[in-house]
Amino acid sequence: QVRLVESGGGSVQAGGSLRLTCEASEYTRNHVCMSWFRQAPGKEREGVASSDSDGSITYADSVKGRFTISKDNARNILYLQMNSLKPEDTAMYFCAADLGGGNWWPEVRCGADYWGQGTLVTVSA
């Protein structure tokens, strides 16, 4: 199956920054929408940001102006630069790939058919 591996999580103070990385397998190259999601304990999984194959980018309102999603298409890597982190950003962060399976997440305007294992982000006050 498609492999996605997240890294870059950790523990930071409020106001700090982290850069998450998602390394994707060859199957996810070319014209694939890639997204970041997060899930905090006791909360539903929510979309954070997406980068579609046509270049369009979508952010959840909660992270606009603070997070930046980007792709290195040649290396099949997805990034999430997170600045001005808040305690409410604490969650397990997952990347996902849209391979056309129809599992649609409207908040990121992208499907999510394959998921990474997650990387934990903890933000303390």
Side-chain angles (χ1 to χ4, degrees):
Q1 220 173 10
V2 172
R3 175 178 59 86
L4 302 101
V5 180
E6 303 96 333
S7 62
S11 181
V12 298
Q13 296 287 323
S17 297
L18 286 172
R19 190 193 196 195
L20 305 184
T21 298
C22 174
E23 297 178 88
S25 66
E26 296 288 331
Y27 186 60
T28 63
R29 294 183 184 272
N30 300 321
H31 306 102
V32 172
C33 183
M34 301 289 293
S35 299
W36 287 98
F37 295 81
R38 66 187 182 186
Q39 187 167 21
K43 301 288 188 179
E44 295 182 343
R45 187 168 297 188
E46 61 179 348
V48 174
S50 68
S51 179
D52 208 347
S53 57
D54 64 356
S56 63
I57 293 173
T58 300
Y59 294 102
D61 289 341
S62 59
V63 306
K64 286 180 180 176
R66 299 189 297 122
F67 291 10
T68 302
I69 189 172
S70 61
K71 285 180 183 175
D72 184 336
N73 287 317
R75 298 175 179 177
N76 212 24
I77 298 174
L78 181 74
Y79 300 101
L80 185 68
Q81 179 66 47
M82 306 186 295
N83 298 325
S84 302
L85 283 162
K86 305 174 181 179
E88 50 263 46
D89 295 318
T90 295
M92 186 73 73
Y93 283 71
F94 303 87
C95 68
D98 182 355
L99 276 300
N103 185 15
W104 185 252
W105 290 77
E107 65 264 48
V108 295
R109 294 185 284 184
C110 189
D113 301 304
Y114 297 93
W115 301 80
Q117 84 290 348
T119 185
L120 181 63
V121 172
T122 302
V123 184
S124 59

